C-alpha cells in the first residue's frame, strides 16, 4: 500500500521499505542485492500496537531514519541501519518511577499523533515530518520534528464543499504538499507559510499525485480514470485526459520531459511526452482556456484486455452473422477491417497482418532454401519377390495394392481411374484463376481479398499465371496495373500492396517494357506511388525534427 526509498544509502545498507495490506510490520529490501532483508520494522508490544496494520511509510533524505504510520493513528520512528525503534510521535515523558511504568503497562493508552488511520507521511530535507490522517475529525496536516518528536504546528485542511471531509492522499515535493480529500478537492499546502496556497475541484478523490522537479506542474490521477495536469503558478488546469483503464500511479521524469503512468490490470509503464516541449503557447497558460471536458485516450500498447469471465460473458451476447460460405463474422472482424482503412483521405495505412507474412511472400526462394531437407529422400523399399496375382477368368494378372481397389469402386470409379490426375479437378481452363476472373470483372477489391487469403506460394502462382507466357494477353497485364493504381489511390494495406507490386514487376518486367501503353501505365503508377510516400515524408518531417531535439542529435548537412 506504500513504498519509500533513499537512493543515497542503498550501497551502504538496505534503504527500500514497503508496506503491505493488513500487515503490522514494514519490510526492508536491499536494492543492491535485489533481495528482502531478514529484519523488519515492527512496533514493540509496550506501545499497544500489536496486530495494528501499517498504512504509510517515509524515509529521511539522509537514509538513516524511517517513519511509519499505523491504522490507529500512531507514528513511530526507526533507525533504518539497525532497525531499532526510536519512539512514537509525540514522545511521552520519560518514566522513572516503577509504579508509573507498571500503570502504563496495565492498559493506559498512549497519546497518538492522529485520531484515525494515517493516510500519508513525508519527511522534508530540513528534518520535519509531515503527516495526515483519514478521519473527518482530524482533517489537518501535522508537522513534527524528526529527532525530538516535538509538534511544530498544524495546517487545517478546509474544503469549499459542505460537510466534514477527510484526507485520502499526501504527496510532497520540496516545500509543497499536495493533499487529496474524499470530496474531490485537491489542496496544495506551503510548508514555509503553513497555509493552503492552491485549491482545485477535481470532483472525485485522487489515486496518486506527482509534482514536477521544479514544482511548476502537478499531475493527478483520479478514481474515475481521469488524469489532470495543473499549472501551479497560474492556478489552473492545463490538460485533462480520461483513460479506458484507470491510472493508479503517476510520476514525472527528472527533466519533466516525460510523464510516466501505470494502469489497472496492466503490466507495463506508459510514457507520455510533455506538450510544453512541442507547443510554446503553453508557456502562457493564462492566455489559454481550461479544458471543458477530458480527452478520451487509450494507453499505448494495444487494445483493452478483459478478464476471462468478461470475455466469456461478452462472447455469449456478441452478435453473429452467417456468411454465404458458412463462416461467422463478429464485431472483432469488423473492427479489424476498419483498422486498415485510412484515418484521413490518402493517408498511408498499413495492413493488420504481421510483417512475417508479406516478407515470406517477397523472399519465398530464401524460405524454400532454408526449409530444404538436410538429408536426401530415402529410397523406397524393394518389391517382394513373389508379387500378388489375381485371375481374370483364366488369365493371371497382377493384383492392385490394398486400398487402390476401394478408391476405384463406386459409380464411375473405373472411368475416373483411367483419367489423368491433371483433369481430376474443376474443368474450367477458359475462366482462369479467381484472381484473373476478378480482374476481368473489374472487382479489384475482390482480387486483393483473394491475394490476402493465399499463402506465399499461392500469391506467386497467381501473379505468375498472367500474361502471354501463361496463355493471356497484354490486356491482362493492363488490368493488373489498373488494379494497383486503384489500391494506391485508396492508400490501404500499403505493405501488402507493395509486396504484390514488387513480385509483379519481377515476374513481368520484360513484357511491360515492350509495350508503350503498359510503359505509360507504369509511369503513372510510379508517380502515384511517389506522391503517396512524399506526403507521408512531409508529415513526418516535423516529428523527425522534434526527435532530433529530444535525442540531442544533429544530421550531417
Amino acid at each position: 500500500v506504500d513504498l519509500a526509498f533513499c537512493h543515497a544509502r542503498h550501497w551502504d545498507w538496505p534503504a527500500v521499505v514497503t508496506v503491505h495490506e493488513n500487515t503490522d510490520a514494514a519490510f526492508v529490501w536491499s536494492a543492491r542485492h535485489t533481495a528482502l532483508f531478514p529484519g523488519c520494522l515492527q512496533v514493540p508490544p509496550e506501545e499497544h500496537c500489536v496486530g495494528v496494520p501499517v498504512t504509510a511509510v517515509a524515509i529521511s533524505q539522509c537514509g538513516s531514519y524511517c517513519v511509519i504510520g499505523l491504522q490507529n493513528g500512531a507514528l513511530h520512528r526507526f533507525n533504518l541501519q539497525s532497525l531499532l525503534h526510536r519512539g512514537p510521535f509525540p514522545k511521552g515523558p520519560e518514566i522513572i518511577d516503577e509504579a508509573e511504568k507498571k500503570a502504563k503497562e496495565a492498559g493506559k493508552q498512549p497519546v497518538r499523533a492522529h485520531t484515525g488511520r494515517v493516510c500519508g507521511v513525508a519527511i522534508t530535507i530540513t528534518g520535519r515530518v509531515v503527516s495526515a490522517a483519514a478521519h473527518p475529525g482530524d482533517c489537518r496536516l501535522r508537522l513534527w520534528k524528526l529527532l525530538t518528536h516535538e509538534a511544530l504546528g498544524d495546517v487545517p485542511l478546509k474544503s469549499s464543499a459542505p460537510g466534514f471531509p477527510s484526507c485520502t492522499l499526501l504527496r510532497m515535493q520540496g516545500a509543497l504538499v499536495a493533499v487529496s480529500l474524499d470530496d474531490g478537492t485537491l489542496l496544495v499546502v506551503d510548508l514555509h507559510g503553513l497555509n493552503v496556497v492552491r485549491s482545485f475541484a477535481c470532483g472525485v478523490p485522487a489515486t496518486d499525485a506527482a509534482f514536477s522537479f521544479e514544482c511548476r506542474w502537478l499531475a493527478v490521477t483520479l478514481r474515475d480514470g481521469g488524469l489532470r495536469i495543473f499549472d501551479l503558478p497560474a492556478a489552473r488546469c492545463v490538460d485533462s485526459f480520461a483513460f479506458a483503464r484507470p491510472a493508479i500511479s503517476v510520476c514525472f521524469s527528472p527533466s519533466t520531459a516525460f510523464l510516466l503512468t501505470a494502469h489497472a490490470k496492466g503490466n507495463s509503464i506508459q510514457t507520455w511526452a510533455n506538450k510544453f516541449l512541442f507547443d510554446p503557447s503553453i508557456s502562457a497558460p493564462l492566455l489559454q482556456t481550461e479544458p471543458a471536458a477530458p480527452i478520451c485516450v487509450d494507453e499505448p500498447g494495444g487494445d483493452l484486455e478483459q478478464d476471462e469471465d468478461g470475455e466469456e460473458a461478452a462472447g455469449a451476447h456478441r452478435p453473429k452473422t452467417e456468411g454465404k460460405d458458412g463462416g461467422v463474422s463478429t464485431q472483432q472482424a469488423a473492427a479489424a477491417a476498419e483498422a486498415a482503412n485510412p484515418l484521413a483521405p490518402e493517408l498511408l495505412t498499413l495492413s493488420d497482418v504481421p510483417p512475417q507474412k508479406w516478407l515470406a511472400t517477397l523472399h519465398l526462394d530464401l524460405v524454400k532454401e532454408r526449409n530444404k531437407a538436410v538429408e536426401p529422400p530415402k529410397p523406397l523399399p524393394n518389391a517382394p519377390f513373389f508379387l500378388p496375382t489375381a485371375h481374370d477368368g483364366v488369365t493371371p494378372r497382377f493384383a492392385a495394392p490394398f486400398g487402390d481397389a476401394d478408391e476405384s469402386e463406386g459409380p464411375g470409379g473405373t472411368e475416373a481411374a483411367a483419367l489423368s490426375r491433371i483433369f481430376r479437378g474443376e474443368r474450367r481452363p477458359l475462366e482462369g484463376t479467381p484472381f484473373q476472373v476478378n480482374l476481368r470483372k473489374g472487382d479489384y477489391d475482390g482480387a486483393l481479398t483473394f491475394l490476402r487469403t493465399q499463402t506465399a506460394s499461392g500469391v506467386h502462382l497467381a501473379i505468375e499465371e498472367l500474361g502471354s507466357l501463361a496463355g493471356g494477353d497484354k490486356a491482362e497485364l493492363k488490368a493488373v496495373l489498373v488494379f494497383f493504381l486503384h489500391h494506391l489511390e485508396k492508400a490501404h494495406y500499403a505493405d501488402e500492396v507493395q509486396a504484390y507490386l514488387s513480385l509483379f514487376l519481377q515476374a513481368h518486367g520484360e513484357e511491360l517494357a515492350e509495350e508503350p501503353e503498359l510503359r505509360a501505365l507504369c509511369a503513372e503508377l510510379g508517380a502515384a506511388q511517389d506522391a503517396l510516400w512524399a506526403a507521408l515524408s512531409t508529415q513526418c518531417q516535423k516529428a523527425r525534427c522534434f526527435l532530433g531535439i529530444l535525442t540531442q542529435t544533429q544530421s550531417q548537412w
Side-chain angles (χ1 to χ4, degrees):
V1 296
D2 201 3
L3 180 145
F5 68 93
C6 178
H7 58 83
R9 288 294 187 180
H10 73 277
W11 293 106
D12 301 327
W13 54 75
V16 179
V17 181
T18 59
V19 174
H20 301 264
E21 188 176 4
N22 296 329
T23 306
D24 61 349
F27 296 97
V28 183
W29 303 77
S30 173
R32 179 181 180 183
H33 302 288
T34 63
L36 178 65
F37 192 70
C40 63
L41 305 179
Q42 191 169 18
V43 181
E46 56 267 17
E47 298 295 339
H48 302 280
C49 294
V50 177
V52 179
V54 182
T55 57
V57 64
I59 297 179
S60 61
Q61 299 290 329
C62 62
S64 299
Y65 300 104
C66 176
V67 177
I68 62 174
L70 278 69
Q71 183 80 29
N72 59 0
L75 276 178
H76 293 269
R77 179 170 65 97
F78 289 83
N79 187 294
L80 195 57
Q81 183 178 7
S82 61
L83 306 183
L84 296 178
H85 180 252
R86 297 304 185 189
F89 290 86
K91 184 177 291 185
E94 296 184 2
I95 300 176
I96 303 177
D97 191 1
E98 292 294 334
E100 295 182 3
K101 185 175 181 180
K102 290 181 180 180
K104 178 183 177 181
E105 295 177 354
K108 185 180 179 181
Q109 293 294 333
V111 179
R112 306 294 187 192
H114 292 278
T115 303
R117 176 180 63 90
V118 178
C119 63
V121 60
I123 303 177
T124 66
I125 195 172
T126 57
R128 291 189 294 177
V129 179
V130 183
S131 61
H135 192 279
D138 192 13
C139 188
R140 58 183 62 247
L141 203 66
R142 297 185 183 274
L143 282 78
W144 315 86
K145 199 168 184 179
L146 177 62
L147 298 180
T148 61
H149 299 196
E150 298 177 8
L152 299 177
D154 55 31
V155 181
L157 302 176
K158 298 181 180 180
S159 174
S160 58
F164 300 94
S166 60
C167 302
T168 60
L169 181 73
L170 183 149
R171 293 291 184 267
M172 187 188 68
Q173 174 70 24
L176 296 181
V177 179
V179 181
S180 174
L181 305 182
D182 60 356
D183 62 354
T185 304
L186 182 68
L187 303 177
V188 180
V189 179
D190 181 15
L191 295 181
H192 292 323
L194 295 182
N195 57 355
V196 177
V197 294
R198 292 290 184 268
S199 177
F200 302 102
C202 299
V204 292
T207 58
D208 197 11
F211 288 94
S212 60
F213 183 74
E214 73 279 15
C215 293
R216 175 180 178 179
W217 291 298
L218 175 62
V220 182
T221 59
L222 306 177
R223 291 184 182 177
D224 60 353
L227 171 64
R228 297 190 185 183
I229 310 296
F230 296 98
D231 189 293
L232 296 181
R236 62 169 46 202
C237 177
V238 295
D239 218 340
S240 178
F241 301 98
F243 296 104
R245 288 185 293 190
I248 57 178
S249 184
V250 63
C251 178
F252 275 99
S253 65
S255 62
T256 68
F258 299 99
L259 183 70
L260 310 177
T261 59
H263 298 262
K265 298 182 181 180
N267 57 354
S268 60
I269 297 176
Q270 312 297 346
T271 304
W272 308 86
N274 193 343
K275 281 199 313 185
F276 174 74
L277 301 178
F278 303 94
D279 191 357
S281 64
I282 304 181
S283 60
L286 291 176
L287 303 179
Q288 304 292 330
T289 59
E290 293 190 16
I295 302 174
C296 297
V297 295
D298 289 333
E299 58 271 17
D303 297 336
L304 180 63
E305 299 178 358
Q306 298 180 352
D307 295 337
E308 296 180 359
D309 297 340
E311 291 180 354
E312 294 175 359
H317 302 283
R318 184 176 297 138
K320 300 181 180 179
T321 58
E322 293 290 340
K324 293 181 179 180
D325 56 351
V328 178
S329 61
T330 62
Q331 291 181 351
Q332 293 181 353
E338 186 67 22
N341 295 331
L343 298 177
E346 299 182 358
L347 181 63
L348 192 67
T349 306
L350 302 180
S351 64
D352 55 349
V353 300
Q356 289 77 9
K357 181 178 179 180
W358 55 266
L359 285 175
T361 304
L362 273 178
H363 308 288
L364 182 61
D365 296 336
L366 297 178
V367 174
K368 289 183 177 180
E369 184 67 24
R370 183 187 61 191
N371 296 338
K372 186 181 296 183
V374 180
E375 298 180 358
K378 297 180 180 180
L380 296 176
N382 296 329
F385 183 78
F386 295 101
L387 298 177
T389 57
H391 288 79
D392 184 6
V394 294
T395 304
R397 298 182 183 278
F398 291 115
F402 294 104
D404 290 356
D406 299 337
E407 295 178 1
S408 60
E409 293 179 357
T414 306
E415 296 179 2
L419 293 176
S420 172
R421 282 181 290 177
I422 299 177
F423 299 101
R424 288 185 182 180
E426 296 180 357
R427 300 188 180 185
R428 294 183 299 175
L430 298 179
E431 295 183 8
T433 62
F435 182 62
Q436 293 171 311
V437 173
N438 289 327
L439 290 177
R440 294 193 190 100
K441 294 180 180 179
D443 185 9
Y444 300 129
D445 293 334
L448 179 61
T449 303
F450 171 76
L451 289 180
R452 295 185 73 241
T453 57
Q454 299 300 306
T455 61
S457 300
V459 172
H460 276 259
L461 187 61
I463 292 179
E464 291 172 357
E465 288 184 346
L466 300 170
S468 58
L469 295 180
D473 53 4
K474 69 174 184 179
E476 204 169 53
L477 298 179
K478 180 180 177 181
V480 180
L481 293 176
V482 176
F483 159 78
F484 284 115
L485 275 173
H486 171 78
H487 289 292
L488 282 180
E489 291 176 356
K490 284 192 170 183
H492 61 176
Y493 304 108
D495 45 1
E496 290 186 293
V497 172
Q498 292 296 324
Y500 301 150
L501 178 59
S502 178
L503 292 178
F504 176 73
L505 295 178
Q506 291 177 11
H508 304 283
E510 297 180 359
E511 301 175 63
L512 297 176
E514 293 175 358
E515 297 292 337
E517 183 180 4
L518 298 181
R519 289 201 303 269
L521 276 175
C522 289
E524 184 180 354
L525 185 64
Q529 187 171 0
D530 290 342
L532 186 64
W533 288 97
L536 179 65
S537 179
T538 302
Q539 294 172 356
C540 295
Q541 181 63 31
K542 186 177 180 180
R544 286 197 293 265
C545 294
F546 286 137
L547 183 61
I549 295 175
L550 292 176
T551 57
Q552 299 181 357
T553 59
Q554 295 183 1
S555 304
Q556 298 293 332
W557 300 98

